[in-house]
Amino acid sequence: MIPLPKVELHLHLEGAAPPAFIRGLAQEKHMDLSGIFDDRGNYRFTDFWQFLKVYEAATGTLQRPEDYARLTTAVLEESAASGVVYSECFLSPDFCGNRDLSAWREYLHAIREAADAAERDLGITLRGIVTCIRHFGPDKARQSALCAAETAGDWITGFGIAGDEKVGRPADFAWSFDLAREAGLRITAHAGEWGGPDSVRAALADLRPERIGHGVRAIEDLALVDELAEKGVVLEVCPGSNIALGLYPTWRQHPIGQMYDRGVKVTISTDDPPFFHTTMAREYDRLAEAFDWDEGVFRTIAQTSLAAAFCDEATRARIAKTLEPA
Ligand code: ADE
Ligand code: ZN
């Protein structure tokens, strides 16, 4: 493992649930989820759309705030073991309390308690980004944005959109993003994963994000790549996720190397690590191999990530100390 402190900006909390953890919850609740696992016990899917179905079925076992508290602890243990010192996770009121504000507050309270304990015990800091789900539609997104706006603060620091990029248009979600921005939340949006450069342009124009989740397909239009570099838009790149889902055949063919060389602010994350058989440690190892990146590159990327983190300045300064070479 490359022994460097790591900063992760793009992690779906439910998507970080190990399959054994979800199987355990399913057993406790007498739910038959055998269809979503293969005979080795891993999540079973062959493409992104099946992945979304398996993800949502697995998430169906997370029915109480305590389930999310246990999940948060398990996820942060894994991240800390990879050397992550600061992480931002996506959370959805769609899954936590069915977009009911008082239930959402209860889920959030449980997650924060677990995160605070992990910070004390493991030295890893977590912040939350509320995300709406594109294929659930703009009406549900509005309810999620209202939950986000009501709980914006020092822990819920951002608002975003995930889900099926092929469904709907970013403009359909502009109201939700405007509300979140007015509540002081920082903005990120998934784009340029299953949609091409036009999808990235639409997200930039209509949602005005500081960061783009993935954004890798901007590489199909070099003028857009240069625009991202010039404007300083940060890409939350998840190479192992892209490769596992078949966007690129090999690590060497992943565009992160070219984007970095062209001056785009790229960062490294895992997205949904157990689904894609990855960890932050593995992402670093594979990228070092594929692009011959040395410690200097990874230190630069960690600094870029921390600068783009949605935390307050006191937290950023505290984490910056942990990134300094010993
Ligand atoms: N939700 C969880 N993982 C996702 C991904 N890679 N793209 C879009 N939505 C997601
Ligand atoms: Zn994602």
Side-chain angles (χ1 to χ4, degrees), residues 12 48 51-52 55 162-163 190 193 214 241 271-272:
H12 299 263
F48 175 66
F51 155 78
L52 285 179
Y55 181 109
H190 280 61
E193 181 191 22
H214 299 284
S241 160
D271 210 7
D272 309 284

Side-chain angles (χ1 to χ4, degrees), residues 134 161 165 189-196 199-200 203 212-217:
R134 190 154 163 170
I161 183 166
E165 193 181 341
H190 280 61
E193 181 191 22
W194 301 102
S199 174
V200 175
I212 295 271
H214 299 284
V216 286
R217 288 194 54 200

Side-chain angles (χ1 to χ4, degrees), residues 64-122:
R64 303 170 309 169
E66 304 89 274
D67 298 334
Y68 268 88
R70 282 158 68 189
L71 173 62
T72 304
T73 303
V75 169
L76 291 177
E77 282 171 358
E78 180 61 45
S79 295
S82 261
V84 177
V85 293
Y86 176 87
S87 183
E88 290 182 359
C89 72
F90 294 115
L91 292 170
S92 309
D94 300 277
F95 302 135
C96 301
N98 215 12
R99 295 172 297 277
D100 172 79
L101 179 60
S102 64
W104 164 246
R105 285 189 196 281
E106 284 172 31
Y107 277 82
L108 212 48
H109 180 73
I111 293 166
R112 281 192 70 163
E113 272 193 345
D116 288 348
E119 181 156 341
R120 276 195 312 273
D121 300 343
L122 307 168

